[in-house]
Amino acid sequence: MDVLVYNIIYFIVEEIEQCTMIEEYVMSNLLKPSFYNKIYEINEKKWLFNTFNLGLREIDDEIEKILSCSIINKELYSEEMDKNLVELEDAGFIIQSQIDELKMLRYIYNTDKYNKDYLTITILPTLDCNCECYYCFERENKARTSFSKNQSFDLLGQSLLDFVNAKIRDTKNLSIAWFGGEPLLSFDVIEKLSIKFIELANKYGVHYTSSLTTNGYYLTDIPNIIDRLKKCQIDSFQITLDGAPEDHNRIRHLKGAHKETFDKMLDGIILLYKNEMNISVRINVSKKNLVNMPKLFDILEENNLKNLKIYFGQLIDYSDKDNSDVYLDQGEYGALIERLYRTLRKRGFRYGLDDHYPSSARPCIANRIDTAVVDCYGNIYKCRSQVGEFEKTIGNVCDLENQTVDEAMREINWLEWTPFRYAVCRECKIFPICMGGCPFTLYDNDDALPICDEWKYNLDFFVRQKILDMEEKNDE
């Protein structure tokens, strides 16, 4: 090559590299505030919170002014302020100007959604239940049965084990969630399958966890129940109460006989609690049971259950009727949670003392690649709320090789659904802690819009409460 030509090429390359370095330097000094910042003023102090990274810190007026700029050039500030900007950048409150936070959020969402490290199987050993709550998703389903009633346990149980065995090799964690119906009606099935699942997990070196959602009515009837639950490695429990006894017994009574259930279910809660089992009690709330709610708190306190892990559940109306006299909308529910929190905080309940600081949302379990819900017929669903709607299945564990085209498309609809398709979500500051809310009514309905999560209505309240708690602790 001619020396002159070589020198010209070398010079051009050097210039390009130098320009690139200059551009990178300039870009690294150009910052912008995170879209997900929120500023709170409490007790004449200003606090900065970020819904993407959940950061929280006190700021002064100068930093607040800087955060109001669309572009922040670090070179324009003093060395002392530059240190503050570096801290803000490290914490994610300000970011490099070329960063697209929405793309980052989508990447995190999809990475989690298609992560195979966690295999979660929800099993309904029976669709039958001893109660007949009016709001139960199975209330319209007449085909209630159990493993033992619909076909031999050996056939269905082995098919379920084969289904898990085919998936467990690619995971690091196996989680089995026992659901229903009332799963304790088929506790023999739970015991048999639990032993097999534990053996599979041990064989492949997979971490095993298990949970049980029950109404608790039979807990005190089953002999040696605590030891048997421990043998099954069921380490998490959920029991639901529908308010004070008069409301609970009106809603959650025994099927047919209309016999009261509150006292017996409370006994089951106490049994698990006294044996130091990890139990959460869900308290359903509606406009029909709010007035008597303080009575329920009195009963829990009288039974030394103030430290019990409780949370409140919003009953959702999926019908096309006007039931506004019964069900709370999201705004009403969010406001109610604030009132209940204040009440329980004053009374010294764990719920009122716990930190209700938000956490980053994850894809709904129904949208994740390695999750399944299996009923007592072997039918596979993606969402618990569809159980019993046999036209919503995505296959059957007894016939995995013959998944129909319709079943495959229903599965794809769940996996393909994303909250990022909705402009109202993409443009929302609380999107990272909500992720579009429940996709149950959305995944196959292109005309529906997301129902905003309660965080839209009470995020500010709980962030402010966190700040007040921090200030109180600092003053001690």
Side-chain angles (χ1 to χ4, degrees):
M1 180 185 296
D2 185 271
V3 174
L4 178 61
V5 173
Y6 176 85
N7 287 335
I8 293 173
I9 294 173
Y10 179 80
F11 175 78
I12 293 173
V13 170
E14 282 287 295
E15 285 294 307
I16 292 173
E17 289 180 350
Q18 188 173 4
C19 289
T20 302
M21 290 173 64
I22 293 172
E23 183 181 2
E24 288 177 352
Y25 173 78
V26 171
M27 294 302 291
S28 68
N29 281 282
L30 291 181
L31 306 171
K32 64 181 179 181
S34 167
F35 172 75
Y36 300 104
N37 286 339
K38 290 174 68 70
I39 295 177
Y40 297 88
E41 187 167 351
I42 299 174
N43 296 334
E44 299 182 348
K45 295 180 181 178
K46 293 178 180 177
W47 293 80
L48 178 61
F49 170 71
N50 187 281
T51 58
F52 195 140
N53 56 54
L54 307 179
L56 180 65
R57 62 167 286 170
E58 187 179 347
I59 60 172
D60 57 27
D61 291 340
E62 189 173 3
I63 290 179
E64 182 184 20
K65 185 177 180 180
I66 292 173
L67 290 172
S68 67
C69 301
S70 57
I71 291 294
I72 303 166
N73 188 341
K74 286 198 296 185
E75 290 191 329
L76 300 179
Y77 297 97
S78 66
E79 183 177 341
E80 183 61 33
M81 180 53 70
D82 186 60
K83 291 179 181 178
N84 289 329
L85 294 178
V86 169
E87 290 179 5
L88 289 169
E89 184 178 3
D90 289 343
F93 293 113
I94 58 177
I95 57 178
Q96 293 190 20
S97 59
Q98 68 268 39
I99 288 179
D100 186 328
E101 288 180 291
L102 192 63
K103 285 185 178 180
M104 289 176 61
L105 189 61
R106 185 186 286 114
Y107 173 79
I108 294 170
Y109 176 89
N110 286 331
T111 301
D112 194 11
K113 181 177 179 179
Y114 295 106
N115 184 355
K116 289 191 172 185
D117 286 348
Y118 297 88
L119 173 60
T120 303
I121 309 294
T122 299
I123 302 173
L124 291 82
T126 179
L127 288 177
D128 201 2
C129 186
N130 53 325
C131 297
E132 49 182 3
C133 310
Y134 70 87
Y135 54 74
C136 179
F137 66 83
E138 293 146 349
R139 65 188 181 280
E140 305 293 340
N141 175 29
K142 298 178 181 179
R144 298 186 179 189
T145 185
S146 61
F147 272 70
S148 57
K149 293 179 183 176
N150 96 75
Q151 54 183 301
S152 75
F153 171 78
D154 289 341
L155 173 61
L156 185 52
Q158 187 57 52
S159 296
L160 184 53
L161 288 169
D162 292 342
F163 175 68
V164 174
N165 187 52
K167 291 177 170 290
I168 199 171
R169 306 159 196 260
D170 299 323
T171 192
K172 296 177 181 177
N173 302 273
L174 172 61
S175 176
I176 299 295
W178 299 103
F179 200 64
E182 173 45 52
L184 289 182
L185 287 170
S186 296
F187 189 56
D188 59 328
V189 172
I190 293 175
E191 287 187 295
K192 292 176 183 178
L193 283 175
S194 292
I195 299 303
K196 297 294 185 182
F197 289 138
I198 293 168
E199 290 175 354
L200 269 180
N202 290 336
K203 177 181 178 181
Y204 292 103
V206 169
H207 181 250
Y208 181 81
T209 58
S210 180
S211 64
L212 174 69
T213 299
T214 171
N215 60 39
Y217 189 85
Y218 293 115
L219 282 170
T220 54
D221 293 339
I222 300 174
N224 304 315
I225 182 64
I226 298 299
D227 290 338
R228 294 166 72 179
L229 289 170
K230 288 180 178 179
K231 187 176 181 181
C232 292
Q233 294 188 24
I234 299 176
D235 51 17
S236 178
F237 302 84
Q238 178 185 296
I239 296 178
T240 300
L241 296 175
D242 282 279
E246 54 264 53
D247 295 312
H248 175 97
N249 290 326
R250 173 175 49 83
I251 298 169
R252 192 173 286 257
H253 51 73
L254 291 186
K255 191 177 353 180
H258 287 261
K259 184 179 177 181
E260 296 180 350
T261 62
F262 182 89
D263 290 342
K264 210 160 183 300
M265 291 180 181
L266 180 63
D267 288 342
I269 292 171
I270 293 171
L271 175 66
L272 293 178
Y273 184 76
K274 285 186 174 179
N275 282 276
E276 300 181 344
M277 308 295 269
N278 180 20
I279 174 175
S280 298
V281 174
R282 170 181 165 129
I283 301 175
N284 284 335
V285 292
S286 72
K287 293 180 180 179
K288 295 294 188 181
N289 69 355
L290 289 180
V291 174
N292 296 319
M293 197 64 72
K295 295 181 182 179
L296 173 61
F297 302 152
D298 291 339
I299 292 171
L300 294 177
E301 188 168 352
E302 290 165 4
N303 286 277
N304 299 313
L305 294 173
K306 289 175 68 172
N307 201 41
L308 181 69
K309 189 189 300 180
I310 63 175
Y311 73 99
F312 297 94
Q314 179 186 13
L315 295 181
I316 304 295
D317 183 12
Y318 291 115
S319 73
D320 55 2
K321 301 175 183 177
D322 180 12
N323 293 311
S324 57
D325 60 326
V326 177
Y327 297 98
L328 297 156
D329 65 31
Q330 291 297 88
E332 292 170 325
Y333 178 67
L336 171 64
I337 290 298
E338 294 180 22
R339 296 201 303 272
L340 292 172
Y341 172 84
R342 289 192 185 101
T343 297
L344 294 177
R345 186 179 180 88
K346 288 179 181 178
R347 297 185 63 157
F349 276 75
R350 174 181 175 178
Y351 179 85
L353 301 175
D354 276 350
D355 188 353
H356 289 262
Y357 197 66
S359 58
S360 299
R362 303 183 65 191
C364 172
I365 191 171
N367 298 126
R368 299 171 68 86
I369 191 167
D370 248 9
T371 65
V373 180
V374 183
D375 71 13
C376 52
Y377 293 97
N379 293 316
I380 308 171
Y381 310 80
K382 288 297 289 181
C383 176
R384 289 180 178 182
S385 294
Q386 292 182 329
V387 170
E389 299 181 61
F390 302 130
E391 71 279 8
K392 301 290 181 68
T393 64
I394 63 168
N396 191 290
V397 295
C398 298
D399 194 20
L400 290 173
E401 294 181 358
N402 293 310
Q403 184 186 45
T404 67
V405 172
D406 285 343
E407 289 171 337
M409 286 310 304
R410 286 194 286 269
E411 182 175 11
I412 290 171
N413 281 343
W414 273 110
L415 293 175
E416 184 269 342
W417 182 87
T418 172
F420 290 89
R421 70 175 60 173
Y422 305 102
V424 66
C425 292
R426 297 193 304 269
E427 297 164 4
C428 179
K429 282 185 178 290
I430 69 165
F431 189 31
I433 59 176
C434 167
M435 281 300 161
C438 176
F440 171 61
T441 59
L442 302 170
Y443 86 102
D444 64 349
N445 186 347
D446 292 335
D447 296 326
L449 289 175
I451 299 173
C452 290
D453 188 89
E454 66 185 84
W455 281 118
K456 176 179 178 179
Y457 305 97
N458 57 28
L459 172 65
D460 292 346
F461 172 81
F462 282 115
V463 173
R464 288 177 181 275
Q465 188 60 57
K466 173 72 172 180
I467 294 169
L468 291 171
D469 289 344
M470 290 169 62
E471 290 188 333
E472 183 179 343
K473 189 174 181 180
N474 290 335
D475 292 339
E476 290 178 355

